[in-house]
Amino acid sequence: MNDVLKVVVDGLWRQGDKNLAVRLVSANGEPLPGWQPGAHIDVHLPCGLIRQYSLTGESTTESYLICVAQESASRGGSRYIHQTLRPGQTLTISAPRNLFALRDDGPVLLLAAGIGITPLYAMLLQREATGTPFTLHYFVKRREEAAFARELSHSLKHGVCLIHCSSEGKSPRQTLAATIPAPGDGERIYTCGPAGFMAAVRDVAAAKGWPEAQIHSEAFAPAAPVAASQQEETFTITLASSGEKWPVPANKSIAQVLQDNGVAVPLSCEMGICGACLTPVLDGVVDHRDTVQSAAEKTAATQHIALCCSRSHSRVLVIDL
């Protein structure tokens, strides 16, 4: 297990009619490590599951706040938090990890759908506190589902927040084209929500002329599994530090092969969505299967591979371990 922090559930309360906010405080009374909007933590649940949740709310507090949607197709984490988690319960969590940070102080367009509001709400609060411009568009099916609706209804000094409800005729399909303008000078888009929503954002933005490098997203769902006709072949993974090499068969991940041979791998989600095992690649062609890296990052000159799920297009892959 990677380094973890022990925390206590200090409060649970509804945010909208299908979300549960959870405040976590340090078990030893000391402030929890600082974080910046876009960061997430791994939550080790007593039922044995490890789940990733974005930190939300004000990043200047000494406690952490997460917000979890009640998923009808829960893989167990959402169900446990909504049905079993109680105030006073002790949990272990990871330190914050941030692969979705605001890149600079330029203007930003924030586009959220559903529980994807959590990292973007933290970005809104930071922008408002620092007096830098922003616009947040928040898409929900029904107004009653919106998390942080009361907080988002407060007047803002430095930005604009609009909530769009599908039940009121303002679904992403109907309004995204009007919501996303042509790119401004230095402006960036940050988006979080279901995969289909983020894909629609990218499609509309690309049609409006937004460069890919100025669109940032965070996914909390694994990529679609590889079709049977595209099943991978065995390749060789090589450690640059020692020259040790091992075959990676079709039925094992790179991380599993490394662990089998005594190499420590910082695993967490094991689905390519958290970034814990991203490792620099020195030679070879990566078959990226994670959702944590952007398309630009996956085609950059300097490559990183998610050891838990990605594979190799080349016969040999040399990694910086």
Side-chain angles (χ1 to χ4, degrees):
M1 182 181 292
N2 302 322
D3 292 340
V4 293
L5 307 167
K6 185 173 289 188
V7 296
V8 175
V9 178
D10 191 48
L12 295 164
W13 63 97
R14 293 178 66 206
Q15 280 290 352
D17 62 8
K18 59 177 296 186
N19 310 302
L20 197 61
V22 182
R23 182 169 56 237
L24 304 170
V25 298
S26 171
N28 62 14
E30 297 181 357
L32 290 168
W35 61 281
Q36 292 296 313
H40 70 268
I41 56 173
D42 303 335
V43 178
H44 300 247
L45 296 169
C47 59
L49 299 172
I50 303 174
R51 292 291 182 265
Q52 290 70 43
Y53 297 109
S54 291
L55 293 175
T56 191
E58 294 183 354
S59 58
T60 54
T61 62
E62 296 182 348
S63 60
Y64 291 165
L65 179 66
I66 61 175
C67 190
V68 182
Q70 187 167 24
E71 303 288 354
S72 56
S74 172
R75 294 179 290 118
S78 164
R79 184 182 309 115
Y80 182 90
I81 288 175
H82 277 260
Q83 298 181 3
T84 307
L85 195 67
R86 293 291 180 270
Q89 199 166 338
T90 300
L91 300 174
T92 52
I93 63 173
S94 71
R97 183 184 306 118
N98 199 342
L99 299 168
F100 190 46
L102 290 166
R103 302 295 179 96
D104 50 45
D105 292 331
V108 296
L109 178 62
L110 309 174
L111 297 166
I115 200 60
I117 186 63
T118 50
L120 301 190
Y121 175 49
M123 291 180 181
L124 175 151
L125 291 177
Q126 185 194 62
R127 286 271 152 160
E128 183 71 359
T130 56
T132 43
F134 63 88
T135 300
L136 169 66
H137 293 276
Y138 178 20
F139 293 87
V140 292
K141 291 181 180 177
R142 298 179 297 111
R143 194 165 293 274
E144 294 80 3
E145 293 181 2
F148 307 109
R150 181 172 58 84
E151 293 86 343
L152 293 172
S153 68
H154 295 166
S155 61
L156 299 166
K157 295 181 179 178
H158 305 289
V160 175
C161 173
L162 297 170
I163 299 178
H164 307 276
C165 303
S166 297
S167 62
E168 299 170 9
K170 295 183 178 179
S171 70
R173 180 180 300 175
Q174 294 165 309
T175 58
L176 265 183
T179 298
I180 300 177
D185 185 24
E187 190 171 12
R188 293 179 181 272
I189 288 176
Y190 292 81
T191 182
C192 188
F197 170 78
M198 292 191 291
V201 167
R202 288 185 177 277
D203 289 345
V204 172
K208 296 281 182 83
W210 285 80
E212 173 69 25
Q214 290 176 218
I215 306 172
H216 310 280
S217 61
E218 182 167 58
F220 280 91
V226 176
S229 60
Q230 297 176 290
Q231 286 301 324
E232 53 274 0
E233 297 180 354
T234 297
F235 61 94
T236 299
I237 191 74
T238 300
L239 304 187
S241 60
S242 63
E244 293 176 284
K245 58 184 68 176
W246 303 281
V248 182
N251 64 342
K252 285 194 172 184
S253 67
I254 298 173
Q256 288 172 321
V257 169
L258 294 178
Q259 289 181 324
D260 288 347
N261 289 280
V263 180
V265 179
L267 289 177
S268 180
C269 72
E270 300 190 50
M271 296 184 293
I273 62 176
C274 78
C277 63
L278 283 176
T279 301
V281 176
L282 302 182
D283 194 21
V285 182
V286 180
D287 178 5
H288 291 289
R289 298 186 183 181
D290 64 282
T291 56
V292 72
Q293 297 184 93
S294 68
E297 289 169 328
K298 291 176 181 177
T299 56
T302 302
Q303 294 270 300
H304 288 73
I305 185 170
L307 299 175
C308 64
C309 63
S310 294
R311 297 190 66 82
S312 178
H313 286 304
S314 53
R315 295 181 65 84
V316 177
L317 204 60
V318 183
I319 58 176
D320 191 14
L321 282 180

